[in-house]
Amino acid sequence: MAAFAATAGRLLGLRAAGTEGRLLRLRGAGLQRALLQPASATGDAAQRRQVAHFTFQPDPEPQEYGQTQKMNLFQAITSALDNSLAKDPTAVIFGEDVAFGGVFRCTVGLRDKYGKDRVFNTPLCEQGIVGFGIGIAVTGATAIAEIQFADYIFPAFDQIVNEAAKYRYRSGDLFNCGSLTIRAPWGCVGHGALYHSQSPEAFFAHCPGIKVVVPRSPFQAKGLLLSCIEDKNPCIFFEPKILYRAAVEQVPVEPYRIPLSQAEVIQEGSDVTLVAWGTQVHVMREVASMAQEKLGVSCEVIDLKTILPWDMDTVCKSVIKTGRLLISHEAPLTGGFASEISSTVQEECFLNLEAPISRVCGYDTPFPHIFEPFYIPDKWKCYDALRKMINY
Amino acid sequence: MAVGENPSQSLSPVMDSPSLRELQQPLLAGVGCGPPIQKPGEPQLGPPFGETAFAESLRGWQLLPPPLPTVSAGLGEPGPPDLEDASSSDSDSDWDGGSLLSPLLPHDHLGLAVFSMLCCFWPVGIAAFCLAQKHPQRQEQQHFPSLDDKPQFPGASAEFVDKLEFIQPNVISGIPVYRVMDRQGQIINPSEDPHLPQETVLKFYKSMTLLNTMDRILYESQRQGRISFYMTNYGEEGTHVGSAAALDSTDLVFGQYREAGVLMYRDYPLELFMAQCYGNASDLGKGRQMPVHYGCKERHFVTISSPLATQIPQAVGAAYAAKRANANRVVICYFGEGAASEGDAHAGFNFAATLECPVIFFCRNNGYAISTPTSEQYRGDGIAARGPGYGIMSIRVDGNDVFAVYNATKEARRRAVAENQPFLIEAMTYRIGHHSTSDDSSAYRSVDEVNYWDKQDHPISRLRHYLQGRGWWDDEQEKAWRKQSRKKVMEAFEQAERKPKPNPNLLFSDVYQEMPAQLRKQQESLARHLQAYGEHYPLDHFEK
């Protein structure tokens, strides 16, 4: 009880000092919970793991694709893979641990249904997985490779950048590996730290010849993954792992495609354009509500979906309307994909801008473990940046 | 802050096998195990039921250690993001064989017997007592005498040994070198002679010599500034032609960069070799790559790329697809002994073996990787000795003996397709030429060494001696052929020089199957730039 009194006093003290920003930051970090709840011998609230930094907002049930089923993200992925293997007899799925269903259960049941020659484990070697996948694709068969975590894609970087991306160009279109799709879990998950939280899309954005796609939801994931698999270019499909179970919505059972390189305005607005992809789209949605509620600001929220080649037209069109742009991603600030968007938009929409373009990103550090709540570009940081843009 | 609802286990629309569903249940660890937590200062609780004999039997099950969650569970399965779920992250570990007994009851039959007696459940007590006599105690380890003296490890199948001894790698007398002809072109063991018809052997000879002639002329052309770069194949023609001849014409070839003889054997026209080196408008590769980066879809020769060994796992994937398609095709993958040091080589070998792919790994061990001799490239017995480490059938052959190369490749091909397994052929040879036109090998090896191979052990001369020995070739034919092949090469060469380069628009196509909007804008931007500044660019040499 004494501890509580002390912390409560500190809280009041802060208020008195008028350090509203600090209070916001403390609240955002979830410390408020710790300040209001007493420590005890068992179940110390301050030690409990953080609540997620976003709320998944399901989209309304799609009407135009037939019967739907409630699915989470990994189930939507399974459904897409199931559809692909059913439709395309050459399609195979491979990677580490995919045979038993995968560490994120994305391939559960597929080996039983389609056979061990179509859904199989490979040795633990990412450069092998991607190289092998390229080889399959060169013969014209469909190769769906899984990299267990996007953090482990780097051994395959040479095969992706120097081989897959350049196969068609360097051969004068005699050969290609367009039927290759690489899938990998992506982004922060609350406790992943350096090697289970990365968002490496920026490394690949710099590589002409591949496509890079990040879905925000189960419905988007299935449609975008099917588009990637059927696309005639090698694609990397990053799946936000924190959404695997947390994101649930109605998803069509039959196959359908969501076009690549088309960004989506998921909420129209007039004062600020907010651009994000993957998990961060849900953070932006909340930021948009907060902005409307607290500042009376109308935000246009755009889900970029495809990082490469990206839909400049939709973003520029929006910024021309609103005059302000905020881009947010978990990946570190420097060289992150927000810098590419920012650079292009200021070239194309310079005279329309009312304020400098804002980027709210992860810090230029490796992704930390215990400090994750401070690291991620949460809604408070985005809100604060938006506020500054409005008041510019 | 609430999170989106957590789906219950029963939602899975796909076939979620019952065993997997069991694995998804949170651990029951800690329930019923161990005494209740004692708060400080409170009187010590005795055993739950207070009766000594009874408690003794209970202690038996109290002392069972709680099953440990697997280390990997936390990472593979991210815990639910909300705090309402009190249990730690799901574990994939099974435990206790799924006992049907309540955790509160003793798990051993004797204890159960005693318990039942005391609680007046006589029938249960008698039954449990009988079971206790029939079955050994659960706490005691069951004894399997027949498995005592053999290792049970899943990772290796071997015997035990009680003498400490390291395996000595054998590099002094390593894997022997298979050959058919001696250095003078004489068949050593007649039963190994493939008895190829005259026409075929002449084709071998003409392919190798035509390649040699083309190499000389194109090397010179680089020296004269006509092409930017070139790599010769001197001394290795036997590896190309012997192996190419042993394949079906539709077998897929993944090369490194020193396998032009394979294309030559498959009748790739001189015009197209030249077109690629000149990057002219006839180049099927549309002028995008440095010279000698050939490719031909029609002849199943995958376009060469500069990064070394990247083709190795790709060849394995292609072989896997061929196996699935029941194509009766083999994939052959060429690489040098230097490239074999790359991680991609290790990856390719391991995948080929584990995934049972019909692929031939053909290593040209020519003694040097640019300036790096084999003594600095590896310390084991070459590349062939690595094969068994992966479970791959392996052989070492005399790469300058075109029949040995032919025989080995032929047999490897037959078995690779029939048995769906990879084969490794290490063809020993010597790189007589420099690494490329950017290299002067006198900086790192003696002229004497090079001369030995050129004069004493050359695939072309050995085959010529064989041909002459059979009466299928003579000096006059040699003279005539040299003149003719030179003439053919010179004609193709002059034609290639005269042709314009491809349209600069081809700089932008084939990045993707369809041109993205951004790239089209960049293409238009270059077009506008050339309109204003075209005089500073060599537009005259390019097609309009």
Side-chain angles (χ1 to χ4, degrees):
Chain A
M1 294 305 290
F4 172 59
T7 51
R10 245 184 287 140
L11 179 60
L12 292 169
L14 280 169
R15 278 221 169 102
T19 50
E20 190 210 24
R22 268 180 72 194
L23 181 63
L24 277 174
R25 274 200 299 280
L26 284 169
R27 273 213 251 135
L31 278 180
Q32 183 187 36
R33 264 204 161 161
L35 292 170
L36 294 176
Q37 290 176 4
S40 59
T42 54
D44 180 359
Q47 305 303 319
R48 288 169 85 191
R49 283 156 52 189
Q50 290 300 312
V51 184
H53 65 290
F54 68 98
T55 305
F56 172 72
Q57 292 207 26
D59 285 325
E61 179 179 356
Q63 304 294 338
E64 63 269 52
Y65 300 110
Q67 190 204 355
T68 65
Q69 190 168 9
K70 201 165 178 186
M71 295 187 207
N72 62 27
L73 185 70
F74 75 72
Q75 291 163 338
I77 300 295
T78 314
S79 177
L81 297 174
D82 190 1
N83 290 154
S84 288
L85 265 60
K87 218 164 51 145
D88 178 354
T90 71
V92 291
I93 301 172
F94 51 92
E96 294 150 25
D97 304 297
V98 300
F100 88 102
V103 292
F104 289 109
R105 306 191 206 150
C106 294
T107 52
V108 167
L110 296 179
R111 185 177 169 95
D112 285 342
K113 187 168 176 184
Y114 294 103
K116 60 185 175 65
D117 61 318
R118 298 187 71 187
V119 181
F120 53 93
N121 292 338
T122 64
L124 210 167
C125 179
E126 286 77 14
Q127 68 193 101
I129 289 167
V130 174
F132 178 84
I134 291 171
I136 291 178
V138 166
T139 69
T142 299
I144 305 168
E146 177 175 305
I147 298 293
Q148 200 154 84
F149 284 86
D151 314 57
Y152 307 142
I153 202 165
F154 301 106
F157 202 71
D158 186 41
Q159 285 283 353
I160 294 169
V161 168
N162 268 337
E163 296 289 316
K166 298 171 168 61
Y167 232 89
R168 190 188 295 275
Y169 186 81
R170 73 188 187 200
S171 69
D173 201 19
L174 291 178
F175 298 95
N176 71 78
C177 57
S179 56
L180 171 67
T181 303
I182 300 166
R183 300 175 34 245
W186 168 103
C188 78
V189 71
H191 58 279
L194 287 76
Y195 304 111
H196 300 83
S197 313
Q198 289 180 48
S199 313
E201 66 274 12
F203 293 102
F204 298 100
H206 194 54
C207 179
I210 50 169
K211 296 195 176 181
V212 180
V213 178
V214 189
R216 71 169 184 270
S217 73
F219 170 73
Q220 291 292 318
K222 176 170 168 170
L224 289 167
L225 179 55
L226 284 169
S227 290
C228 285
I229 291 170
E230 287 168 33
D231 194 277
K232 304 285 186 230
N233 303 287
C235 297
I236 302 179
F237 187 77
F238 287 126
E239 300 166 0
K241 63 177 87 65
I242 202 174
L243 298 181
Y244 272 142
R245 298 201 312 178
V248 187
E249 52 183 8
Q250 295 293 124
V251 179
V253 172
E254 291 300 307
Y256 59 96
R257 301 215 286 194
I258 295 176
L260 303 183
S261 297
Q262 272 188 37
E264 184 186 345
V265 178
I266 61 172
Q267 182 181 316
E268 284 187 17
S270 52
D271 301 328
V272 192
T273 302
L274 307 177
V275 174
W277 47 92
T279 317
Q280 201 66 6
V281 173
H282 304 291
V283 177
M284 292 305 225
R285 268 178 154 148
E286 266 191 81
V287 173
S289 309
M290 283 163 71
Q292 183 67 70
E293 197 188 303
K294 297 185 201 295
L295 307 168
V297 164
S298 153
C299 297
E300 182 145 292
V301 181
I302 296 180
D303 176 6
L304 194 63
K305 301 196 207 183
T306 301
I307 309 303
L308 181 75
W310 69 283
D311 182 358
M312 282 181 212
D313 288 347
T314 300
V315 176
C316 290
K317 191 167 144 203
S318 174
V319 177
I320 288 167
K321 180 172 73 166
T322 65
R324 293 178 186 83
L325 175 61
L326 186 151
I327 314 153
S328 184
H329 55 62
E330 293 166 20
L333 178 72
T334 300
F337 197 64
S339 41
E340 172 63 31
I341 299 173
S342 177
S343 193
T344 301
V345 169
Q346 65 88 27
E347 279 168 8
E348 303 289 323
C349 314
F350 184 72
L351 293 174
N352 303 95
L353 289 170
E354 298 291 331
I357 296 170
S358 182
R359 298 177 292 159
V360 184
C361 304
Y363 300 114
D364 288 332
T365 72
F367 201 108
H369 179 237
I370 213 69
F371 308 113
E372 176 164 334
F374 302 95
Y375 174 90
I376 51 174
D378 60 21
K379 62 188 179 188
W380 302 109
K381 293 183 188 170
C382 294
Y383 173 76
D384 193 53
L386 188 153
R387 200 177 48 80
K388 291 190 170 106
M389 263 203 309
I390 294 294
N391 296 332
Y392 187 77
Chain B
M1 180 191 345
V3 179
E5 62 176 323
N6 250 339
S8 68
Q9 303 292 2
S10 58
L11 263 185
S12 170
V14 287
M15 326 76 224
D16 210 342
S17 63
S19 58
L20 194 58
R21 229 197 304 274
E22 269 170 23
L23 296 179
Q24 291 167 2
Q25 299 309 317
L27 269 185
L28 295 172
V31 177
C33 292
I37 295 169
Q38 306 281 325
K39 290 200 190 130
E42 292 187 52
Q44 256 239 314
L45 286 175
F49 299 94
E51 288 179 89
T52 312
F54 183 78
E56 235 127 59
S57 72
L58 282 177
R59 212 161 283 133
W61 65 262
Q62 278 179 345
L63 290 174
L64 270 177
L68 299 169
T70 56
V71 172
S72 58
L75 291 178
E77 287 285 349
D82 59 340
L83 290 170
E84 289 123 48
D85 187 355
S87 70
S88 56
S89 50
D90 290 355
S91 165
D92 284 343
S93 74
D94 208 351
W95 77 289
D96 203 23
S99 169
L100 294 171
L101 293 174
S102 156
L104 288 174
L105 288 177
H107 283 199
D108 67 291
H109 291 101
L110 198 55
L112 187 57
V114 174
F115 175 45
S116 310
M117 300 294 197
L118 290 166
C119 296
C120 301
F121 293 151
W122 295 93
V124 179
I126 292 166
F129 188 77
C130 293
L131 277 170
Q133 304 316 306
K134 277 195 194 136
H135 298 281
Q137 294 288 6
R138 285 175 115 259
Q139 282 97 311
E140 274 182 50
Q141 200 53 10
Q142 277 203 281
H143 185 67
F144 299 98
S146 63
L147 300 173
D148 265 348
D149 279 341
K150 294 213 179 335
Q152 297 301 311
F153 306 111
S157 164
E159 298 285 331
F160 279 121
V161 69
D162 54 26
K163 186 162 167 245
L164 176 63
E165 196 174 343
F166 288 96
I167 298 170
Q168 172 100 353
N170 189 354
V171 296
I172 306 300
S173 55
I175 296 172
V177 183
Y178 170 73
R179 65 173 182 172
V180 174
M181 294 187 279
D182 62 20
R183 292 191 183 96
Q184 288 74 44
Q186 304 302 307
I187 302 286
I188 296 165
N189 179 351
S191 65
E192 295 298 305
D193 185 343
H195 298 293
L196 295 169
Q198 178 179 6
E199 199 186 325
T200 304
V201 186
L202 277 175
K203 184 174 162 127
F204 284 17
Y205 186 73
K206 287 188 173 176
S207 303
M208 293 200 285
T209 47
L210 187 59
L211 175 62
N212 189 278
T213 304
M214 184 180 81
D215 275 353
R216 285 170 203 277
I217 287 167
L218 284 175
Y219 185 90
E220 263 316 298
S221 79
Q222 192 279 340
R223 283 295 179 250
Q224 295 169 16
R226 296 166 190 262
I227 60 175
S228 61
F229 174 82
Y230 193 71
M231 297 176 100
T232 59
N233 302 273
Y234 302 146
E236 300 185 49
E237 300 88 345
T239 62
H240 306 174
V241 169
S243 55
L247 302 170
D248 281 10
S249 58
T250 55
D251 288 338
L252 195 56
V253 176
F254 284 80
Q256 183 170 296
Y257 52 57
R258 219 184 288 280
E259 295 89 16
V262 175
L263 266 178
M264 192 66 90
Y265 190 83
R266 288 187 171 180
D267 300 314
Y268 194 60
L270 290 170
E271 181 203 342
L272 290 181
F273 278 112
M274 304 281 176
Q276 198 284 324
C277 289
Y278 274 92
N280 67 29
S282 298
D283 177 24
L284 300 177
K286 300 177 188 169
R288 285 159 186 165
Q289 292 212 82
M290 285 168 75
V292 311
H293 290 63
Y294 310 114
C296 184
K297 188 171 173 182
E298 219 181 293
R299 291 169 179 82
H300 312 283
F301 189 95
V302 180
T303 304
I304 300 300
S305 73
S306 304
L308 297 182
T310 50
Q311 73 276 15
I312 301 178
Q314 293 172 20
V316 177
Y320 189 87
K323 176 173 80 163
R324 278 211 73 237
N326 285 315
N328 281 319
R329 274 171 108 189
V330 88
V331 175
I332 191 165
C333 182
Y334 296 92
F335 51 95
E337 87 286 351
S341 295
E342 282 279 0
D344 271 343
H346 160 70
F349 296 158
N350 201 20
F351 275 55
T354 54
L355 299 173
E356 297 170 357
C357 301
V359 60
I360 298 173
F361 294 119
F362 194 103
C363 177
R364 295 175 292 97
N365 187 332
N366 64 13
Y368 290 89
I370 307 187
S371 70
T372 307
T374 53
S375 58
E376 288 171 13
Q377 193 64 248
Y378 53 76
R379 225 18 91 77
D381 178 23
I383 312 312
R386 296 180 198 170
Y390 292 97
I392 297 178
M393 300 283 295
S394 311
I395 192 171
R396 172 173 284 152
V397 306
D398 180 345
N400 291 352
D401 175 347
V402 72
F403 293 139
V405 172
Y406 175 86
N407 284 352
T409 309
K410 193 102 182 132
E411 179 65 359
R413 189 209 182 274
R414 185 186 70 78
R415 291 187 63 183
V417 174
E419 300 163 25
N420 282 319
Q421 63 168 318
F423 279 77
L424 172 60
I425 299 173
E426 183 183 18
M428 308 307 293
T429 179
Y430 187 84
R431 193 196 77 207
I432 290 174
H434 307 300
H435 165 71
S436 72
T437 48
S438 309
D439 177 46
D440 175 7
S441 61
S442 64
Y444 51 82
R445 59 183 184 177
S446 73
V447 172
D448 288 342
E449 179 186 298
V450 179
N451 271 333
Y452 167 80
W453 290 96
D454 197 26
K455 303 280 182 294
Q456 308 291 342
D457 193 344
H458 197 294
I460 291 175
S461 37
R462 281 165 79 176
L463 188 63
R464 183 170 61 247
H465 288 133
Y466 172 84
L467 283 169
Q468 287 171 334
R470 294 294 301 261
W472 290 348
W473 196 251
D474 58 35
D475 288 344
E476 255 188 58
Q477 286 171 294
E478 175 71 18
K479 217 165 127 188
W481 169 243
R482 281 194 197 189
K483 198 165 156 198
Q484 187 193 5
S485 55
R486 190 177 164 78
K487 183 159 175 275
K488 275 166 64 149
V489 172
M490 284 311 298
E491 272 170 14
F493 171 81
E494 277 150 17
Q495 266 193 14
E497 266 225 335
R498 282 197 295 267
K499 282 201 179 125
K501 309 302 182 195
N503 190 307
N505 275 324
L506 290 175
L507 190 167
F508 295 99
S509 56
D510 303 324
V511 179
Y512 297 91
Q513 192 197 43
E514 69 294 336
M515 193 183 292
Q518 274 92 295
L519 199 49
R520 191 165 295 287
K521 281 199 216 152
Q522 292 174 15
Q523 183 181 47
E524 287 159 7
S525 146
L526 177 62
R528 286 192 302 271
H529 178 77
L530 289 175
Q531 279 191 347
Y533 294 87
E535 56 180 313
H536 303 291
Y537 295 83
L539 282 167
D540 290 339
H541 299 133
F542 288 79
E543 275 190 349
K544 302 282 170 272

